[in-house]
Amino acid sequence: MKLATLKNGQRDGQLVVVSRDLRQAVIAQPFTTLQQALENWAHAEPVLSQQYQALNQGQVPEAFAFDPVAAAAPLPRAYQWCDGSAFLNHAHLLQKAFDLAPMKDERIPLMYQGASDDFLGPRDDVPLPEVNHNIDFEGEFAVILDEVPMGCPVEQALQYVRLVLLVNDVSLRGFLLHEVSTGFGFLQAKPSSSFSPVAVTPHALGSAWRNGRVCLPLTVTWNQNWFGSPSGAEMSFSFADLIAHAARTRRLRAGTIIGSGTVSNLDCAAGSACISERRAIEMIEHGKPLTGFMNFGDRIRIEALDGDDQSVFGAIDQRVVEASS
């Protein structure tokens, strides 16, 4: 099943069911928002699945063309957004390039709690105050959860995954090192994140959902130039690990989003999903970074294609612009 949220002038938008090929949609019934559906998933899932099947079979007269430009983030705002760093290769590259101290314990995933009150849609501009804040994109996978109990063990964590989607976790590298050094974590370094037009149930991913990982390449293009297609299969920590980590001392409410962190592969030929990683590779190979950060007017596109070269989640495709004063 594939779900999206259309902008309708309300903060939480209008939930719609989207066809497998992302071409058609229908207003979801009787659930008006994705948050409402998540909080009543046992009832909502079979009802929405029935609408999804009918839509794919061309049996919905009220279906209309799905326009990702009209889409908000599947959850335009969420009660909680926790972003992990599940690809240790990414951390190792940055440690080597910039002579950073290694992680104290690589058996425990890193995670921060980000802003979740103002997510951006897949085609929305990314408004930022200064171009000299070292603007970076970060291509990630993420999951949306049902209620997760406190102390949830890893072995049970995946049963709470309801939907999977893509993220552009925008980062301002100019703030990052200072904020990390304070010991309190990210704030100004992490403005609003952007999400794919469509969120997909694990079942609809088929064999691409394995071992708590999205086993698809995540293709990133910057100003229409290929930047990377690293695979989500190389997560060092699965989503089960990340969920259990987040729930160790608290329960997670329905609608919590958990991110994978920047997708990164051991083979550098796969490219990168963020500028910072490419700069790290350049530091290692050439002794200095050669790639600059983003400028106003730059465009970033993030998309995952299946084995038939069909877009699974739709594309995040957006410009970075100067915020109006």
Side-chain angles (χ1 to χ4, degrees):
M1 180 168 58
K2 299 191 176 187
L3 302 173
T5 295
L6 297 182
K7 299 174 183 177
N8 66 350
Q10 303 298 314
R11 289 186 184 272
D12 298 307
Q14 171 63 58
L15 180 64
V16 296
V17 180
V18 182
S19 62
R20 186 179 296 107
D21 61 8
L22 307 182
R23 295 181 180 179
Q24 297 286 306
V26 63
I27 299 296
Q29 298 289 348
F31 307 95
T32 58
T33 69
L34 181 53
Q35 184 64 39
Q36 182 187 27
L38 289 164
E39 291 175 356
N40 299 276
W41 193 253
H43 175 52
E45 193 276 335
V47 172
L48 296 175
S49 291
Q50 188 175 32
Q51 295 176 39
Y52 178 66
Q53 295 303 325
L55 183 63
N56 287 322
Q57 294 167 8
Q59 298 174 351
V60 182
E62 61 271 27
F64 53 89
F66 177 64
D67 181 7
V69 175
L75 271 178
R77 54 180 177 169
Y79 288 114
Q80 185 164 220
W81 157 233
C82 297
D83 198 14
S85 183
F87 293 84
L88 288 178
N89 181 67
H90 175 72
H92 292 162
L93 286 171
L94 268 61
Q95 289 164 9
K96 182 176 181 179
F98 301 108
D99 195 26
L100 302 175
M103 294 170 59
K104 292 182 179 179
D105 189 346
E106 290 193 349
R107 297 170 298 176
I108 302 174
L110 296 176
M111 184 174 285
Y112 78 92
Q113 191 164 12
S116 59
D117 59 323
D118 187 30
F119 291 144
L120 299 176
R123 303 299 169 90
D124 292 346
D125 288 341
V126 181
L128 295 169
E130 297 284 346
V131 74
N132 61 1
H133 287 160
N134 294 347
I135 303 167
D136 200 353
F137 49 82
E138 290 193 54
E140 306 184 16
F141 294 103
V143 295
I144 302 177
L145 306 178
D146 204 333
E147 302 272 335
V148 180
M150 183 190 305
C152 174
V154 171
E155 297 77 18
Q156 298 176 20
L158 293 181
Q159 67 180 297
Y160 301 107
V161 174
R162 296 293 170 254
L163 296 162
V164 185
L165 64 171
L166 308 181
V167 189
N168 177 16
D169 179 41
V170 180
S171 295
L172 302 180
R173 302 293 181 182
F175 293 108
L176 196 142
L177 288 179
H178 168 72
E179 291 188 336
V180 170
S181 70
T182 66
F184 259 44
F186 305 134
L187 182 67
Q188 293 169 341
K190 293 293 185 177
S192 297
S193 297
S194 310
F195 290 81
S196 54
V198 169
V200 180
T201 56
H203 180 266
L205 289 175
S207 62
W209 178 250
R210 300 194 302 275
N211 302 317
R213 296 164 172 83
V214 185
C215 300
L216 293 171
L218 186 68
T219 297
V220 178
T221 57
W222 178 15
N223 292 333
Q224 299 183 318
N225 295 310
W226 180 84
F227 199 82
S229 297
S231 172
E234 289 192 24
M235 282 178 78
S236 305
F237 299 100
S238 71
F239 277 110
D241 296 317
L242 297 180
I243 295 165
H245 178 73
R248 183 177 181 183
T249 60
R250 55 178 163 173
R251 60 186 175 184
L252 309 179
R253 291 299 197 181
T256 293
I257 305 176
I258 303 284
S260 68
T262 303
V263 180
S264 178
N265 288 176
L266 188 60
D267 183 0
C268 290
S272 300
C274 74
I275 298 171
S276 184
E277 180 171 300
R278 175 176 282 189
R279 288 168 59 89
I281 293 170
E282 291 168 346
M283 282 281 291
I284 294 167
E285 295 181 348
H286 306 288
K288 62 180 180 180
L290 305 176
T291 302
F293 291 101
M294 299 186 82
N295 293 303
F296 291 144
D298 282 6
R299 182 172 290 278
I300 182 68
R301 183 181 177 94
I302 299 171
E303 189 171 22
L305 304 181
D306 63 19
D308 297 321
D309 287 333
Q310 299 299 307
S311 185
V312 178
F313 308 91
I316 298 171
D317 191 347
Q318 52 191 177
R319 296 182 308 150
V320 172
V321 300
E322 184 174 11
S324 57
S325 57

